[in-house]
């Protein structure tokens, strides 16, 4: 199985262009990478917002403040 389209390495490499794997799928890989990157940021932002909201809720009740005072 060849991922770069070459069936044999017994050729003159100066006559061959790119020899890296998955040639021709660069655009698809960039799109998948962008979707993953943007999706990760969306999920991370949602998680951080939920965590901040939980912290703010705990602080409104004074619970977090009492815990901090008890620790010190």
């Amino acid at each position: 199985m060849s991922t770069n389209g070459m069936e044999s390495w017994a050729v003159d490499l100066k006559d061959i262009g790119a020899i890296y794997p998955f040639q021709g799928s660069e655009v698809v890989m960039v799109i998948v990478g962008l979707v993953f990157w943007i999706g990760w940021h969306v999920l991370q932002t949602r998680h951080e917002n939920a965590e901040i909201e939980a912290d703010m809720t705990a602080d409104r009740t004074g619970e977090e403040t009492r815990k901090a005072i008890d620790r010190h």
Side-chain angles (χ1 to χ4, degrees):
M1 181 179 151
S2 174
T3 58
N4 62 5
M6 293 182 62
E7 298 300 325
S8 171
W9 286 97
V11 294
D12 192 3
L13 291 178
K14 71 176 184 180
D15 298 331
I16 298 173
I19 57 171
Y20 52 87
F22 307 111
Q23 301 170 27
S25 59
E26 294 89 353
V27 173
V28 173
M29 285 192 238
V30 167
I31 291 171
V32 168
L34 284 174
V35 167
F36 176 78
W37 180 57
I38 292 171
W40 182 83
H41 279 284
V42 168
L43 290 176
Q44 186 68 20
T45 301
R46 287 182 183 171
H47 177 73
E48 288 180 7
N49 285 341
E51 187 176 330
I52 289 170
E53 184 61 32
D55 287 347
M56 295 295 288
T57 301
D59 194 45
R60 279 186 210 123
T61 62
E63 178 181 330
E64 197 67 30
T65 304
R66 280 190 287 277
K67 286 180 182 177
I69 291 172
D70 290 341
R71 282 192 301 252
H72 298 285

